Amino acid sequence: MSARQKTTGPTRTHDDPPGRPVRRGRAPAPSAAEAPNLERRQEILEIAAKLFAEYGYKATSIREIAERAGMMGGSLYYHIRSKEALFIEIHDRALDAAARRVRTAMAPHTAPWARLEAACTEMLEIQLNPGSLTLPIMNNFRSVPEEVKTILVRKRDQFETIFRDIVDALPLPPGMDRQIYRILLLRLLNTADTWYHEGRMSRTEIAAQILTIFRHEGPAATGARGSKGRTKSTPKEKEEKPPAPARKRRVAA
């Protein structure tokens, strides 16, 4: 994600550090327009989320968030604690919303493969929605401070437990590493905006293709018994039985 160019001369960039909050006891009383309220705070969160998604963490300043919200920079601190705390809250809300959607999509299904397909379909809908903030917020880790990144990764790992549970329930072959399987699947879904092209296939059709590619069933899933309920003969057992044609030749003689 590329940083933006300066917009107002050499003294102001979009990487300006957030202003220091006014110390307790010295802050002027907020006006009616500035006083904290839930609707105003939600508006600020939405404005900040769009800026973070479009320009990244580093290139989005507290000053610009305040300007977009029609506020003075200092007044923004009546609603938020810091740029770092604001980004963490937006990131966590985005993942919580995505988790609810994926769980809701899987709820009608009990079969492991059907649950995987439902989860993949919903993830594609989330990631490829032009108005979705989940993808850029989830993957915007490179420019955040290390202490913030640690918190973000912890939350992302919580979200990925959904897919860990799905993959653990799949009847995969014994030699297949489920962690690598899950990582590859999530990497494919989380980068959908880089390879998806509208028109060739629908998102539901792509999810079905992903399931086809990732569907590898072990012996227990494919069935080890014949149509009459008898266990299929192993190659060794077949070798021990005399071939039918030889018996017929001996009888004829």
Side-chain angles (χ1 to χ4, degrees), residues 56-74:
Y57 175 86
K58 189 175 182 180
T60 301
S61 69
I62 286 290
R63 181 184 303 176
E64 182 163 12
I65 295 171
E67 289 177 354
R68 290 286 186 95
M71 305 169 63
M72 300 294 293

Side-chain angles (χ1 to χ4, degrees), residues 15-84:
D15 195 21
D16 292 335
R20 186 185 300 249
V22 180
R23 292 183 180 178
R24 184 175 299 177
R26 296 185 180 183
S31 65
E34 294 172 339
N37 63 75
L38 293 178
E39 290 184 2
R40 183 58 166 155
R41 190 170 190 280
Q42 180 61 33
E43 181 185 359
I44 292 169
L45 288 173
E46 292 174 0
I47 291 171
K50 291 178 181 178
L51 289 172
F52 283 135
E54 185 175 358
Y55 300 116
Y57 175 86
K58 189 175 182 180
T60 301
S61 69
I62 286 290
R63 181 184 303 176
E64 182 163 12
I65 295 171
E67 289 177 354
R68 290 286 186 95
M71 305 169 63
M72 300 294 293
S75 299
L76 192 62
Y77 287 102
Y78 290 119
H79 304 272
I80 67 170
R81 288 183 295 138
S82 65
K83 175 181 172 180
E84 293 82 1

